[in-house]
Amino acid sequence: EEPLIQLTESRIGRLPAGKQEVEGYRNILLHKLSQMKSYAATQSCREAFLRVYFGENNVPPCGLCDRCMESVETSEDFETGDIARMREQLRTPSTLKDIVAATGIERKKIRHLLRYLILEQKIKKSEKDPDKFIWIS
């Protein structure tokens, strides 16, 4: 029976790194693994989690990740006129600020509406400008 792997060079007898360096690198990898586990288990906004990991402070929830979407209301939580005004405004790509100004709906309620409409696949983020939303159906 022929071996599956054949070494062309002899193995190194001694590693080029010392025990302290190897343990330091191991600790870095363990910390990264811990952060990945925390990301997977987080009950808060995933985007905010990542932005804090990369050094940002006071990051608000995105309102669009799976964790934020878990608290999305149903259509019964909104007035019919609110959704109609959103549909009219989002015929052209609009930012959150544009929507607030054009519809007169309070910002917090619009964020909830946006989450609901994204979940229902009625709107999406603009491909040209991810800060803008557009009606798709």
Side-chain angles (χ1 to χ4, degrees):
E1 186 173 307
E2 208 169 301
L4 296 175
I5 299 174
Q6 185 172 358
L7 300 176
T8 57
E9 296 179 13
S10 63
R11 295 179 183 233
I12 298 175
R14 187 174 182 292
L15 289 176
K19 181 179 178 183
Q20 199 172 23
E21 293 163 318
V22 171
E23 286 180 0
Y25 183 66
R26 177 183 169 271
N27 290 338
I28 290 170
L29 292 177
L30 288 174
H31 178 71
K32 287 181 179 181
L33 178 61
S34 173
Q35 290 293 326
M36 284 191 285
K37 286 180 178 178
S38 295
Y39 174 80
T42 188
Q43 296 300 311
S44 61
C45 175
R46 291 192 192 272
E47 181 180 324
F49 183 94
L50 288 173
R51 290 172 63 186
V52 167
Y53 175 80
F54 286 108
E56 291 187 41
N57 296 316
N58 301 321
V59 180
C62 71
L64 303 173
C65 70
D66 64 323
R67 296 297 188 216
C68 290
M69 294 295 249
E70 287 175 353
S71 63
V72 171
E73 293 85 356
T74 63
S75 62
E76 290 83 34
D77 296 324
F78 305 115
E79 297 172 23
T80 306
D82 292 342
I83 295 174
R85 285 185 285 181
M86 290 283 283
R87 181 177 42 235
E88 185 63 32
Q89 177 62 32
L90 295 175
R91 290 180 193 267
T92 58
S94 302
T95 64
L96 180 60
K97 186 177 180 180
D98 296 336
I99 299 167
V100 170
T103 63
I105 303 170
E106 69 179 63
R107 184 181 182 92
K108 184 177 180 181
K109 190 171 187 179
I110 287 178
R111 289 182 68 85
H112 291 293
L113 267 166
L114 289 172
R115 286 194 301 238
Y116 169 75
L117 293 170
I118 287 171
L119 187 64
E120 293 295 315
Q121 298 180 348
K122 300 291 184 186
I123 66 172
K124 66 178 183 175
K125 286 191 169 191
S126 170
E127 292 172 9
K128 294 180 181 176
D129 184 351
D131 290 334
K132 294 185 177 184
F133 299 90
I134 189 161
W135 198 270
I136 56 175
S137 60

